[in-house]
C-alpha cells in the first residue's frame, strides 16, 4: 500500500468520541460510541475516503478533524501537531489549512449575503486581503470553479444547487488550504450534476496538490475519486485499503455487503445511478448504536460469523496489503507478522 506509507499530512490515532445518552432502565447511563478507537493517516495530494451507512460515525470523524467537537480520547495530528492543543496563531493557521465542504449547498450559504460578501469573508476574518485586491481574488475563485464575475452581486437563491456547491467549493479554496474535508458533498445534487462537481474536484486536486478526506455512502463516487478507502461500521474502521484493491477483492463481510448493495459498479470511471445502500441483509436489520454486540460490532448481521465473534472484539490486522478487523484473518495476519 504505497499510498499509505507516504509521510502523513494528517494522522488520526486511537480516536474516540462517545456521546452520553439519557435513557431509561438499563440504558440509563449508556453512551453512543460514535467513533470508537480509529486510526488512519492521510498523505499529501491524496484522497482518503470514509464510507459506511448512516450512523457509522463518518460525519463525527469530520467534525473531529475540523476541531468542531472535542474527542473523548485519542489524538489528531496535522503536520505533526496535535490539533487539540493548538491555540492562538497556531490554531488560526490550522483553520486556514483545513477547510470543509458541507453536504447541503442550500444551507451552507447565508441567504442574506451576496456572493462577493460570502467569498470575501474568509479573507476578512483572517485579515489577509482588502479593497480591490480582495475583489480580484474573489473573481479568480469564481473562475476556478467555472463561474463568471456575473455571480458577484447575486444572492444564493438565484443559483441552482450545482452552482451553489461550486460557490461553496470556491469559499473552501479561498485560503489555499492543504486539506479539504468533504462531508457528503454530492448527496444533495442531481446525478448529472454530481459528475460535473466530481470532475471539478479532480481538477482542483491536480492543480493545487490538495488532500481530501472524502466522506460518502455512495460507492460509485468513492471509487471514482479516492486513493484510499476506510470502511466504517458502528464507529470502527473494519477494513482499509487502496481503492481498486478494495473493490476488486473485498475481504471484510461488511465491505462485501456494501459492494453487493451496489452491483452496477464496474470501472473506476463509472458514474451511473445505483440503488442506495440497504440497511438490511439476510441476517437481519441493523441495530441501534446503543445495542452494539460485546464482540465484533458486525456480529448481528454477519453471514460468516463464528463463536469467537460474539465474545471478542477483533483487532485491526495487516493482511493482503490492507488493514482489516475480522477474526477470520487473525491467524493469517499473525503468520505474516
Amino acid at each position: 500500500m504505497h499510498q499509505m506509507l507516504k509521510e502523513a499530512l494528517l494522522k488520526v490515532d486511537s480516536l474516540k468520541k462517545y456521546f452520553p445518552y439519557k435513557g431509561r432502565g438499563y440504558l440509563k447511563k449508556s453512551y453512543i460510541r460514535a467513533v470508537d478507537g480509529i486510526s488512519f493517516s492521510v498523505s499529501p495530494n491524496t484522497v482518503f475516503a470514509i464510507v459506511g451507512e448512516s450512523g457509522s460515525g463518518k460525519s463525527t470523524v469530520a467534525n473531529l478533524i475540523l476541531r468542531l467537537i472535542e474527542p473523548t480520547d485519542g489524538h489528531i495530528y496535522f503536520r505533526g501537531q496535535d490539533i487539540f492543543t493548538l491555540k492562538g496563531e497556531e490554531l488560526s493557521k490550522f483553520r486556514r489549512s483545513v477547510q470543509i465542504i458541507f453536504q447541503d449547498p442550500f444551507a451552507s450559504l447565508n441567504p442574506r449575503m451576496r456572493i462577493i460578501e460570502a467569498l470575501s469573508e474568509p479573507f476578512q476574518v483572517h485579515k489577509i486581503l482588502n479593497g480591490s485586491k480582495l475583489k480580484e481574488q474573489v473573481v479568480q475563485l469564481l473562475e476556478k470553479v467555472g463561474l463568471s464575475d456575473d455571480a458577484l452581486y447575486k444572492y444564493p437563491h438565484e443559483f441552482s444547487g450545482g452552482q451553489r456547491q461550486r460557490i461553496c467549493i470556491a469559499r473552501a479554496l479561498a485560503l489555499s488550504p492543504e486539506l479539504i474535508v468533504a462531508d457528503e458533498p454530492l448527496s444533495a445534487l442531481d446525478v448529472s450534476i454530481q459528475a460535473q462537481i466530481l470532475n471539478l474536484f479532480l481538477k482542483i486536486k491536480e492543480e493545487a496538490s490538495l488532500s481530501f478526506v472524502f466522506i460518502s455512502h455512495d460507492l460509485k463516487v468513492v471509487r471514482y475519486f479516492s486513493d484510499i478507502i476506510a470502511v466504517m461500521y458502528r464507529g470502527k474502521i473494519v477494513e482499509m485499503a487502496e481503492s481498486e484493491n478494495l473493490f476488486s477483492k473485498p475481504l471484510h463481510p461488511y465491505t462485501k455487503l456494501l459492494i453487493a448493495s451496489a452491483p452496477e459498479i464496474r470501472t473506476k470511471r463509472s458514474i451511473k445511478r445505483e440503488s442506495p445502500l440497504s440497511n438490511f441483509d439476510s441476517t437481519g436489520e441493523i441495530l441501534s448504536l446503543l445495542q452494539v454486540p460485546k464482540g465484533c460490532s458486525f456480529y448481528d448481521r454477519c453471514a460468516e460469523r463464528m463463536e469467537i465473534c460474539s465474545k471478542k472484539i477483533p483487532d485491526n490486522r495487516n493482511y493482503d496489503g490492507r488493514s482489516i478487523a475480522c477474526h477470520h484473518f487473525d491467524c493469517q495476519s499473525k503468520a505474516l507478522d
Side-chain angles (χ1 to χ4, degrees):
M1 300 180 66
H2 64 279
Q3 292 279 1
M4 296 177 69
L5 297 177
K6 292 180 181 179
E7 179 185 356
L9 175 68
L10 182 81
K11 182 178 179 181
V12 173
D13 182 23
S14 304
L15 189 65
K16 296 181 180 181
K17 182 60 181 180
Y18 297 173
F19 294 101
Y21 176 82
K22 295 181 180 180
R24 296 179 179 179
Y26 75 97
L27 294 176
K28 190 172 182 180
K29 296 182 179 179
S30 295
Y31 287 86
I32 296 174
R33 299 185 177 190
V35 177
D36 197 12
I38 68 170
S39 299
F40 63 85
S41 296
V42 181
S43 301
N45 195 25
T46 299
V47 178
F48 183 92
I50 303 175
V51 301
E53 295 161 287
S54 297
S56 61
K58 307 185 302 297
S59 292
T60 303
V61 174
N63 288 332
L64 287 163
I65 292 173
L66 293 160
R67 205 179 140 170
L68 299 178
I69 56 176
E70 297 291 311
T72 301
D73 198 8
H75 303 274
I76 298 178
Y77 300 95
F78 183 77
R79 291 213 170 274
Q81 290 185 300
D82 188 333
I83 68 169
F84 297 109
T85 66
L86 299 179
K87 298 178 180 179
E89 180 55 34
E90 287 186 339
L91 178 58
S92 180
K93 184 178 179 181
F94 166 75
R95 297 210 181 280
R96 292 195 298 269
S97 298
V98 181
Q99 293 290 310
I100 177 73
I101 298 171
F102 291 104
Q103 175 179 353
D104 187 355
F106 296 90
S108 299
L109 297 170
N110 187 331
R112 296 181 178 86
M113 293 180 68
R114 298 179 188 270
I115 301 309
I116 188 172
E117 296 168 329
L119 296 185
S120 297
E121 192 174 35
F123 298 106
Q124 294 168 339
V125 169
H126 291 276
K127 300 178 181 179
I128 296 175
L129 289 173
N130 53 47
S132 60
K133 290 184 178 180
L134 177 55
K135 182 178 178 180
E136 290 174 10
Q137 188 65 37
V138 169
V139 171
Q140 290 178 19
L141 285 172
L142 289 171
E143 291 174 348
K144 279 185 181 180
V145 298
L147 296 174
S148 70
D149 57 5
D150 292 341
L152 285 174
Y153 297 100
K154 294 181 179 179
Y155 289 94
H157 72 268
E158 299 180 70
F159 297 91
S160 67
Q163 290 172 324
R164 291 192 206 190
Q165 194 63 295
R166 288 175 183 269
I167 294 166
C168 293
I169 294 168
R171 186 174 58 185
L173 294 173
L175 301 176
S176 301
E178 297 178 80
L179 175 69
I180 287 180
V181 178
D183 188 4
E184 299 275 11
L186 307 177
S187 62
L189 305 177
D190 292 340
V191 173
S192 59
I193 304 300
Q194 288 182 11
Q196 297 176 21
I197 299 300
L198 268 179
N199 288 330
L200 176 59
F201 279 143
L202 284 170
K203 177 184 175 184
I204 289 167
K205 177 182 176 292
E206 292 169 2
E207 290 179 351
S209 297
L210 280 172
S211 295
F212 282 80
V213 173
F214 191 83
I215 294 169
S216 180
H217 67 277
D218 193 328
L219 294 180
K220 71 181 184 298
V221 168
V222 166
R223 188 171 192 177
Y224 179 81
F225 187 49
S226 65
D227 299 304
I228 307 292
I229 299 174
V231 180
M232 282 194 74
Y233 185 76
R234 282 178 170 159
K236 295 181 179 291
I237 292 177
V238 297
E239 187 168 0
M240 182 165 56
E242 290 186 0
S243 177
E244 284 307 302
N245 291 344
L246 190 88
F247 280 96
S248 63
K249 189 180 179 182
L251 295 182
H252 194 281
Y254 180 58
T255 309
K256 294 177 184 178
L257 172 61
L258 289 186
I259 292 176
S261 299
E264 292 186 26
I265 294 179
R266 295 187 181 92
T267 65
K268 182 159 181 135
R269 298 299 171 181
S270 174
I271 302 292
K272 298 178 181 178
R273 181 191 296 269
E274 282 97 22
S275 300
L277 296 180
S278 172
N279 281 337
F280 302 89
D281 74 344
S282 59
T283 62
E285 183 179 357
I286 187 170
L287 297 179
S288 165
L289 289 172
L290 293 167
Q291 297 174 287
V292 178
K294 292 181 180 179
C296 175
S297 60
F298 191 57
Y299 175 80
D300 55 287
R301 298 177 71 194
C302 185
E304 303 175 36
R305 60 194 177 196
M306 305 178 292
E307 184 178 354
I308 190 175
C309 302
S310 66
K311 300 175 182 178
K312 182 182 177 183
I313 298 173
D315 295 324
N316 283 90
R317 303 278 187 181
N318 292 322
Y319 179 80
D320 194 29
R322 70 193 71 198
S323 171
I324 187 168
C326 179
H327 288 301
H328 281 283
F329 301 95
D330 282 353
C331 294
Q332 295 97 317
S333 63
K334 287 177 182 176
L336 295 173
D337 287 344

